[in-house]
Every structure is written in structure tokens, then in C-alpha cells.
Amino acid sequence: MAGVIAQILSEDAENQVEIVHHETSPDWAKMAEMLELDFSRVSFRYVERGEREKLSTWNPYRRLSAEFRYCREYSEPYDVFIASGKEPPVFHRAKRGILLVPFPSVTFEEFHGHTCSEWRRQSFLTRFLKSKYHALEWRCRFSSYDTWICLSEFTRRWAKVRWGISPQVLPMPLRSTLTPGEKKPLILSLGRFFAGNWKRQDVLLETFQKLYRANRKEIDGRGIRFRMMGTCSEHPDDVAFVESLRRRAGNLPVEIVVNAPGQGVREALSQALCLWHATGYGVNEYKYPERMEHFGMTAVEAMASGAVPLVYHAGGVPEVVRHNRDGFLWSSQEELVDLTRQILRDEERLRQMRQSAIHAAARYELDAFREKLKNL
């Protein structure tokens, strides 16, 4: 979302927009192309991660002052400083601060080292006093921002639980280039391929095997195919994961497309009858909420393209997809098979849900996002 906001702010000629980062060799042009953003009026400033000042005292004033000095370089030159990250933010020193919360992946205890063995070896009194200071610093860190923003109610709930803040919900906007096209007998899945496998492409492949075995004559007769698309790094574990999927697919009508260009993804979305999505399947949402779908941008993009989404019922996706109106929420592989079979056999129902999905996706258009951003 930070890139989208940078682009919108840069559209006003009076604004000078700068992205502050720690990456030593980022490819901003490639990132802009992948996200379909215009960074032509955005500049970039590299700030090295410096070492924090080592203090022997636990005087709260001196330690907070040292932390403010450490964070000064990031934000002090600006009228508005927008921080975005999955970890607690730096103190901001600009005239106004806005905190974007993609998801609060790091807890208070993890951030301050309360979960490590070294912490547990300290005396009760030491831990008590440090905890009091850490709690003070934590409150000061977040209260230094004027506005907190997140993508979904799901993220807002976990920001309250893990960080003690309640951000405003501002969903991610759609790319303007997504439009419905001529539909083909295609079931589509979009998601990054990686060894951690939170996207659960293995579950989707297994589900398609079940669908195919039970309806082989019909699927072959209609030429229905299942296509899995996503980015994949060059890390050996990620590459091995993709190869394992290819072996499991065997001779099934399955396509696995890795690192397709943006145009290829848009075409697939416009052609697909439906989208399968399984992020979070088999994961304890209360223990590992970061492994859920925090918002459901892929589902929104599918809806805008006229592909009916069938998404796992967890995380932030139920806020996007209204069950049995513009998509389906499923909880088991058997349910996914049954729902898919229903809409593939009922063209009129599929057409009605497609129109409902396109209409619902209009809530996430860029112009609507731009107006909400101005009102912050």
C-alpha cells in the first residue's frame, strides 16, 4: 500500500515524495512494473541501519531520548512521514506521522526479547523493571503517530491484540487494468510459490485431483484446466517445491506457470471461470494469524476480472467475498469440489455470480481509495 500512496501523493505537483528504505540495491523500476505503479515523480533515499547507542543506564528519559535520536534521520526532514512494516515502527519526528500496518507479525514480547532464554535467566526484579520501561517505550513509539491504518478488520483485530492499537481500515485499491474478458474453461490459482507453503498450492492440486477423478469424462469433454500461477525465487527450497508440484500433477490437465509477466496474469484472470484460493488451510488461525490471508487482494482482482472466487474461509477474505453472492467460502476440500462442480454445471448461476462479483469489486477502485486517503 505504501507504493500506491506514494504514487497518489506524487500526482500533486506541489508534493515532493520520497521513499526512505534500507535496501542496498533495490530494482524500483521492476517493482513499479510488477505492481503497476508510476514512480516517475517519486525519489528514493537510502538510509543505512545504524547501531543503537549503548547505554548503561535504565533511566527512562535518557533511554527514550537515545531512541528518538536513533530514529531522527528517518523522518525529521519531512512534513508527513508514512511508516509501513510488519514490525513496530520507528519513532517519527516529522510534523505528521501515519502508520500503515500490513500485519502485526512481531509481538511486544518478541520485539523486546522477552521470549529468549537470556531474558528468562535475568532476575525477577530486572525483568520487572525492564518490562515497565519496554511498555513505556512501546506506548511512546505508537503514540508518536497521528494516524494508524490497516487493510482489513482482521488485521485491525490482531493489531489490537498484539500491538494495543486500533487502526482505521483502508482496503488496498485495485489495479485499473483488470477487466473481464472472453471466458475459457479455466480454474485459476494465484500465489507465490515458496517452501513455507502458506498459499497451500499442494492442497489445491490434491483437490483438483479429486475433482478430476470423480468427473474425468466431463472435465476432459469440456477441456477444463487448472492453472497455478505465481512468483518463485531462485532459492533451492522454493525451486524444489515447484518441482514437487509438477511431479504430483503428472498427466493431469494442470499448468504450473512461474514468474509470468503482469500481462500474462491479467489475461489469465480475465479468461478464468473461477479462482481457487487456500491460504491458511490447516493452520491454527489463533496461533499463527500471520499465515492467514490478511485482506484478500487476489480475490478482489479475480472478482473485478469476472472470475468467481472460491476462497478458504479464514483471515480477512470473508470481508471481501460474500458467500453464495459473488463467490464462495469453503472449509474442506470436499466442499471446494462440490461448490466448483455446482457452478461449472450451472451456467446461469455462474453468470449471475460473475456480474455480482464485478459489481462488488468496484468498491475497491483507485478513485474511491484516493478519496478516502484525502479524508484521513
Side-chain angles (χ1 to χ4, degrees), residues 10 15 26 62 71 75 93 116 155 168 178 182 188 191 202 260 362:
S10 72
N15 293 334
R62 291 188 61 187
C71 300
S75 61
R93 301 297 300 272
C116 65
T155 301
Q168 299 179 46
L178 293 168
E182 182 180 350
L188 181 66
D202 59 331

Side-chain angles (χ1 to χ4, degrees), residues 184-191 193 201-202 204-205 208-209 212 219 222-231 242-260 264-265 267-269 271-272 276:
K184 296 184 178 181
L186 175 66
I187 299 172
L188 181 66
S189 166
L190 295 178
F193 295 102
Q201 288 100 336
D202 59 331
L204 295 180
L205 179 56
F208 185 77
Q209 289 173 329
Y212 183 74
I219 290 175
R222 296 179 58 183
I224 296 172
R225 303 186 67 80
F226 177 41
R227 182 182 301 167
M228 292 190 287
M229 303 181 72
T231 59
V242 173
E243 291 307 311
S244 70
L245 292 175
R246 295 189 193 279
R247 288 193 298 271
R248 290 178 59 182
N251 295 322
L252 292 170
V254 172
E255 304 168 4
I256 299 177
V257 182
V258 177
N259 295 329
V265 175
E267 287 181 359
L269 281 166
Q271 296 169 356
W276 277 9

Side-chain angles (χ1 to χ4, degrees), residues 2 18 51 75 123 149 167 199 222 261 305 310 342 352 369:
E18 198 167 59
E51 291 190 9
S75 61
S123 69
I149 301 172
K199 299 298 182 181
R222 296 179 58 183
S305 304
L310 293 92
Q342 286 181 37
Q352 292 176 356
F369 178 86

Side-chain angles (χ1 to χ4, degrees), residues 61-326:
Y61 175 78
R62 291 188 61 187
R63 296 195 72 87
L64 281 173
S65 297
E67 187 66 20
F68 270 104
R69 287 194 298 272
Y70 171 79
C71 300
R72 179 179 298 161
E73 187 178 3
Y74 298 116
S75 61
E76 197 168 54
Y78 305 108
D79 293 315
V80 179
F81 179 70
I82 303 175
S84 178
K86 297 181 179 181
E87 296 187 2
V90 298
F91 289 94
H92 96 85
R93 301 297 300 272
K95 294 178 181 177
R96 187 183 179 198
I98 299 175
L99 173 62
L100 307 182
V101 185
F103 192 81
S105 296
V106 178
T107 66
F108 170 85
E109 292 78 13
E110 291 168 339
F111 184 73
H112 289 293
H114 295 189
T115 58
C116 65
S117 57
E118 183 180 345
W119 172 262
R120 291 190 291 270
R121 286 196 295 268
Q122 299 179 48
S123 69
F124 172 80
L125 180 59
T126 299
R127 284 185 282 123
F128 175 78
L129 294 175
K130 286 185 176 181
S131 294
K132 289 295 184 181
Y133 168 74
H134 291 159
L136 172 64
E137 182 194 287
W138 187 266
R139 291 193 299 271
C140 292
R141 185 179 295 273
F142 285 99
S143 63
S144 71
Y145 289 83
D146 304 279
T147 306
W148 307 318
I149 301 172
C150 66
L151 299 177
S152 65
E153 284 292 338
F154 174 76
T155 301
R156 188 191 66 79
R157 290 196 303 271
W158 280 101
K160 181 68 175 177
V161 170
R162 289 187 165 183
W163 288 1
I165 64 174
S166 185
Q168 299 179 46
V169 176
L170 183 64
M172 180 81 78
L174 269 168
R175 293 178 288 178
S176 58
T177 53
L178 293 168
T179 55
E182 182 180 350
K183 295 300 177 180
K184 296 184 178 181
L186 175 66
I187 299 172
L188 181 66
S189 166
L190 295 178
R192 181 165 64 97
F193 295 102
F194 65 109
N197 192 25
W198 296 352
K199 299 298 182 181
R200 298 315 306 264
Q201 288 100 336
D202 59 331
V203 170
L204 295 180
L205 179 56
E206 183 179 320
T207 303
F208 185 77
Q209 289 173 329
K210 294 180 179 181
L211 177 67
Y212 183 74
R213 288 168 184 163
N215 307 272
R216 180 169 185 170
K217 186 175 181 180
E218 179 181 358
I219 290 175
D220 286 342
R222 296 179 58 183
I224 296 172
R225 303 186 67 80
F226 177 41
R227 182 182 301 167
M228 292 190 287
M229 303 181 72
T231 59
C232 182
S233 74
E234 297 180 358
H235 191 282
D237 291 343
D238 295 341
V239 174
F241 173 63
V242 173
E243 291 307 311
S244 70
L245 292 175
R246 295 189 193 279
R247 288 193 298 271
R248 290 178 59 182
N251 295 322
L252 292 170
V254 172
E255 304 168 4
I256 299 177
V257 182
V258 177
N259 295 329
Q263 180 60 28
V265 175
R266 291 192 296 273
E267 287 181 359
L269 281 166
S270 70
Q271 296 169 356
L273 294 176
C274 59
L275 174 90
W276 277 9
H277 198 59
T279 300
Y281 181 86
V283 177
N284 185 327
E285 181 173 329
Y286 298 97
K287 189 174 182 180
Y288 303 108
E290 62 276 1
R291 300 184 185 181
M292 300 293 112
E293 190 65 68
H294 306 146
F295 168 51
M297 193 69 237
T298 301
V300 176
E301 292 182 340
M303 291 160 64
S305 304
V308 175
L310 293 92
V311 296
Y312 183 59
H313 194 170
V317 183
E319 300 171 38
V320 173
V321 178
R322 298 172 297 179
H323 182 68
N324 211 27
R325 292 182 62 183
D326 37 50

